[in-house]
Amino acid sequence: MDQSRTDILIIGAGGAGLTAALHAADRAQHLSVTLVVKGLLGRAGCTRMVQGGYNAVLKPPDSLEDHFLDTLMGGAWINDQELAWTLVETAPERIRELEARYGCFFDRTPDAQIHQKAFAGQSYDRTIHKGDLTGIEITNRLAEQVLARPIRVLDEHRAISLLHTEGGEVGGALLLDMRTGKFHVFRAKATLLAAGGGPSMYKVVACSADKSADGIAMAYGVGASLQDMEMVQFHPTGLVVPRSLLTGALLEEGLRGAGGRLNNNLGERYMQRYDSVRLERSTRDIVARASYLEIAEGRGTPAGGVRLDVSHLGAEFVEQNFPGMVKRCRDFGWDLARQPVEVQPTAHFTMGGVQISPDCTTGIQGLFAAGEDAGGVHGANRLGGNGVADSTVFGGIAGDVMADWVVGRPEPTVSGEQIEQLTVEACRPLTGNGTESLYAIRDRMRESMWEHAGLVREEDGLKKVIAELGSMQGQLEKVALKGGRAYNLAWMDWLNLRNQLLVAEMIARSALVRQESRGSHYRRDYPETDQTAWLVNVCLRQGPGGTMQTWTRPVRLTRRVPQAEALSASPVDIGD
Ligand SMILES: Cc1cc2nc3c(=O)[nH]c(=O)nc-3n(C[C@H](O)[C@H](O)[C@H](O)COP(=O)(O)OP(=O)(O)OC[C@H]3O[C@@H](n4cnc5c(N)ncnc54)[C@H](O)[C@@H]3O)c2cc1C
């Protein structure tokens, strides 16, 4: 088995991992920085898939206070306010850095100012973009910058587990070179989880295929505390492409921001019933749930969607402003600029994740987290445009903090028994002789999560899915796979599923705890938002004997207290 050491180990190369690597390398050039990525550098993760853009306050009348308040209202007031403030305060500086230091170039107005467009839930047009494919610009430029520095990049390596020292610190990670199937022990003074969370345990999914909530599962494995795991964002406009893996791929929110309309199969503009003021520009949770209910109650199209119509905006406008979306639809024979296109809600983003402080520390020495692996920034619902801002803001902070933190720290030691146990567990399907089908388990998990822990939840369904997940975890141990260790994709799917089942259980258990509706979490049996009893975060960690422990903690209202009218972003207006 290969053994290496590094000062700073970064797991994941999306916005958070790339920015962290650059900041760490630039802050302390004598340190060794290693970046591990499950896919190919610059090609993996969701940052590359960012379409709409990046929220930052650049000029009046917009203000940091407005961005902050929009973020809290979108998050239905359970955000960690210190994290949310760090996001809005640092985002303008990070945008300037992306352009001036790393070479990104965002769209301009005729007078050469950075153009900012409308996204849902915003007081002012705030979203900075590069056409409608912003993530490609950001990821390409950041990846080029990484390659120009002495940062060690391990492509197609996946982190399997974090390694702990005798003192209970995190001292690196066990990696697997997916091409050769060889394990690689990487000891590190500081380890950053930037693996991008990802709600890939649902039937309809928008996030990138390489994500299986590995970072969250690994954090749980070493006893880190997690929060808000019940908060899963469903984006309202995933494509409906029957019998295609592209079902769930996104049409960006800017289409609704620009005036796109949603109609059901009866031709009704149904958002009038769910948010008569903001209509399609309402927050994602409300629009996604409205679409889900329209479809569930029989007013969807025969293929199981609703129709997004932007044709009234003018074909020229749509083609000029949304070329990526037009092309994506054209691939399936649809003319987005001139005709309605079928869409449905799609699992998009995990608001929950590892509890962090604004400096990305986690409470476990040596372990840091940033981006979608971390919880708290977005509360119960993330605003469009705040995701990539989150990953680059906190990735940069983590890089700086880790570079300072590792100075003078001793080399961590990790035991051989620990490594032996982790490799044996990871290799179990290659040595077993069970008869369970990996893909049958995966399909059941996806269906069950969609039905019982998706956009509409209730106690019986959540208890049912928790029981089912438990039996699926048992079945997974009885899967036997053919083939060796080198580039064994079925084995990778097994490793993915192991983490997805665990994180699915976290979502369902947390959803069962929260007996109210708030943001993206809607309980049919508790449809109201309860500001008195449930202004709390649901927290979770691994307890003694491997049990999953949950508890609640009052939200720390360190900067703003919710006003009655500020709750208008929560789902009190759902369905009839
Ligand atoms: C289709 C789509 C459109 C979006 N559009 C927007 C938008 O317009 N604006 C916005 O603000 N947000 C948007 N988002 C959300 C945004 O993409 C995320 O908030 C953000 O990019 C997450 O960044 P990250 O660095 O945390 O994770 P990611 O960018 O997802 O990167 C995760 C990285 O971790 C790696 N990884 C995963 N597991 C492992 C492992 N076990 N070992 C090693 N590496 C691992 C992955 O390969 C990847 O490199 C969109 C998301 C999607 C899916």
Side-chain angles (χ1 to χ4, degrees):
M1 189 178 310
D2 291 336
Q3 306 255 358
S4 303
R5 70 152 302 278
T6 184
D7 292 310
I8 295 173
L9 180 66
I10 295 170
I11 299 172
L18 291 167
T19 319
L22 293 171
H23 271 246
D26 288 351
R27 190 160 177 110
Q29 288 167 14
H30 59 284
L31 295 176
S32 53
V33 178
T34 304
L35 183 61
V36 185
V37 49
K38 203 172 176 183
L40 296 172
L41 184 75
R43 299 275 157 186
C46 289
T47 304
R48 190 177 174 81
M49 299 164 83
V50 164
Q51 302 168 342
Y54 190 123
N55 289 347
V57 174
L58 295 185
K59 55 183 182 302
D62 201 2
S63 70
L64 298 181
E65 271 298 323
D66 282 314
H67 188 183
F68 182 58
L69 197 55
D70 288 344
T71 301
L72 297 187
M73 287 177 66
W77 290 91
I78 62 160
N79 318 56
D80 179 315
Q81 296 197 359
E82 294 310 304
L83 295 179
W85 180 255
T86 305
L87 171 79
V88 305
E89 191 184 35
T90 317
E93 167 193 325
R94 194 66 84 239
I95 275 290
R96 285 190 285 276
E97 181 181 293
L98 284 169
E99 282 213 328
R101 188 169 174 83
Y102 302 138
C104 296
F105 189 71
F106 300 110
D107 282 9
R108 290 294 196 268
T109 59
D111 60 346
Q113 304 295 308
I114 291 181
H115 182 254
Q116 292 179 279
K117 65 180 173 183
F119 252 23
Q122 297 182 345
S123 311
Y124 299 98
D125 293 359
R126 185 180 291 140
T127 305
I128 296 153
H129 61 108
K130 174 86 173 178
D132 57 355
L133 296 173
T134 310
I136 293 179
E137 175 72 1
I138 293 175
T139 308
N140 285 357
R141 300 293 85 80
L142 293 179
E144 286 162 11
Q145 293 289 329
V146 163
L147 292 173
R149 286 167 174 77
I151 296 168
R152 183 170 179 191
V153 176
L154 297 173
D155 275 313
E156 294 195 287
H157 280 64
R158 64 181 293 162
I160 298 282
S161 300
L162 297 172
L163 299 172
H164 54 81
T165 64
E166 265 186 21
E169 299 187 2
V170 163
L174 176 69
L175 311 182
L176 175 68
D177 181 342
M178 294 155 66
R179 292 165 297 196
T180 62
K182 278 177 73 175
F183 288 102
H184 196 149
V185 174
F186 238 100
R187 284 179 297 111
K189 293 180 182 175
T191 303
L192 176 68
L193 288 174
S200 53
M201 59 295 287
Y202 287 91
K203 185 174 75 174
V204 185
V205 175
C207 58
S208 72
D210 54 317
K211 297 214 297 194
S212 46
D214 298 349
I216 293 173
M218 286 190 280
Y220 178 83
V222 292
S225 295
L226 305 157
Q227 72 176 75
D228 306 332
M229 289 305 298
E230 72 279 22
M231 298 302 177
V232 177
Q233 182 167 80
F234 292 84
H235 194 290
T237 52
L239 280 175
V240 179
V241 193
R243 292 176 301 283
S244 165
L245 282 176
L246 274 159
T247 281
L250 282 200
L251 289 185
E252 72 130 308
E253 185 149 313
L255 291 163
R256 287 187 291 118
R261 294 175 187 158
L262 286 165
N263 297 311
N264 62 20
N265 203 36
L266 307 175
E268 294 167 334
R269 196 173 171 192
Y270 56 86
M271 280 312 298
Q272 276 157 353
R273 284 203 292 279
Y274 300 89
D275 185 341
S276 58
V277 177
R278 294 178 296 185
L279 296 164
E280 289 84 359
R281 284 179 74 166
S282 185
T283 47
R284 279 186 188 164
D285 51 338
I286 295 178
V287 184
R289 195 158 37 247
S291 301
Y292 178 85
L293 290 170
E294 290 297 305
I295 297 163
E297 289 168 7
R299 295 184 292 279
T301 64
V306 291
R307 294 191 179 89
L308 173 67
D309 190 359
V310 292
S311 58
H312 57 282
L313 302 176
E316 198 183 330
F317 173 85
V318 175
E319 282 168 349
Q320 205 168 28
N321 288 283
F322 301 100
M325 301 303 104
V326 169
K327 179 172 180 312
R328 170 165 286 185
C329 290
R330 198 168 285 144
D331 288 344
F332 302 105
W334 304 321
D335 186 350
L336 175 69
R338 293 174 184 80
Q339 61 181 185
V341 166
E342 280 191 48
V343 293
Q344 66 177 340
T346 175
H348 181 55
F349 185 87
T350 38
M351 269 78 69
V354 183
Q355 273 178 7
I356 60 165
S357 301
D359 62 359
C360 298
T361 52
T362 62
I364 295 186
Q365 293 281 301
L367 183 64
F368 300 77
E372 203 175 329
D373 270 350
V377 180
H378 309 287
N381 183 36
R382 174 177 68 79
L383 291 187
N386 270 0
V388 65
D390 169 354
S391 61
T392 53
V393 160
F394 287 99
I397 291 172
D400 290 338
V401 170
M402 290 189 297
D404 294 345
W405 192 85
V406 297
V407 176
R409 300 258 161 193
E411 289 293 332
T413 49
V414 292
S415 73
E417 297 85 64
Q418 181 188 170
I419 293 161
E420 171 70 15
Q421 189 190 339
L422 292 171
T423 54
V424 167
E425 283 170 7
C427 291
R428 185 163 297 150
L430 300 176
T431 53
N433 55 5
T435 54
E436 293 287 350
S437 157
L438 171 64
Y439 295 106
I441 302 170
R442 189 178 73 177
D443 289 350
R444 276 206 302 282
M445 172 193 68
R446 289 175 172 176
E447 285 287 346
S448 198
M449 285 299 285
W450 187 257
E451 194 177 337
H452 300 302
L455 290 103
V456 176
R457 303 157 171 186
E458 58 193 336
E459 182 172 332
D460 288 351
L462 288 167
K463 286 184 171 163
K464 188 163 184 251
V465 72
I466 291 167
E468 285 173 358
L469 289 166
S471 77
M472 287 181 227
Q473 284 159 354
Q475 288 159 0
L476 192 70
E477 297 301 310
K478 297 187 191 122
V479 168
L481 299 175
K482 293 200 177 77
R485 282 172 29 173
Y487 231 113
N488 186 335
L489 294 182
W491 185 26
M492 295 308 111
D493 287 339
W494 187 91
L495 290 166
N496 289 343
L497 190 53
R498 187 170 66 159
N499 289 338
Q500 287 164 324
L501 285 169
L502 179 67
V503 177
E505 186 184 340
M506 296 180 201
I507 292 170
R509 284 193 186 279
S510 302
L512 187 61
V513 170
R514 187 176 285 282
Q515 295 180 340
E516 63 148 5
S517 293
R518 182 182 295 270
S520 64
H521 169 75
Y522 181 71
R523 287 277 303 252
R524 204 193 293 271
D525 43 356
Y526 297 99
E528 304 298 327
T529 301
D530 181 346
Q531 277 306 77
T532 313
W534 287 102
L535 196 62
V536 300
N537 297 111
V538 177
C539 306
L540 182 152
R541 87 171 150 238
Q542 183 169 200
T547 52
M548 205 174 266
Q549 287 184 333
T550 54
W551 71 98
T552 60
R553 185 191 69 184
V555 176
R556 290 190 281 252
L557 301 169
T558 50
R559 289 172 186 267
R560 292 293 287 256
V561 175
Q563 311 292 314
E565 67 277 15
L567 279 171
S568 60
S570 56
V572 287
D573 202 10
I574 283 299
D576 54 11

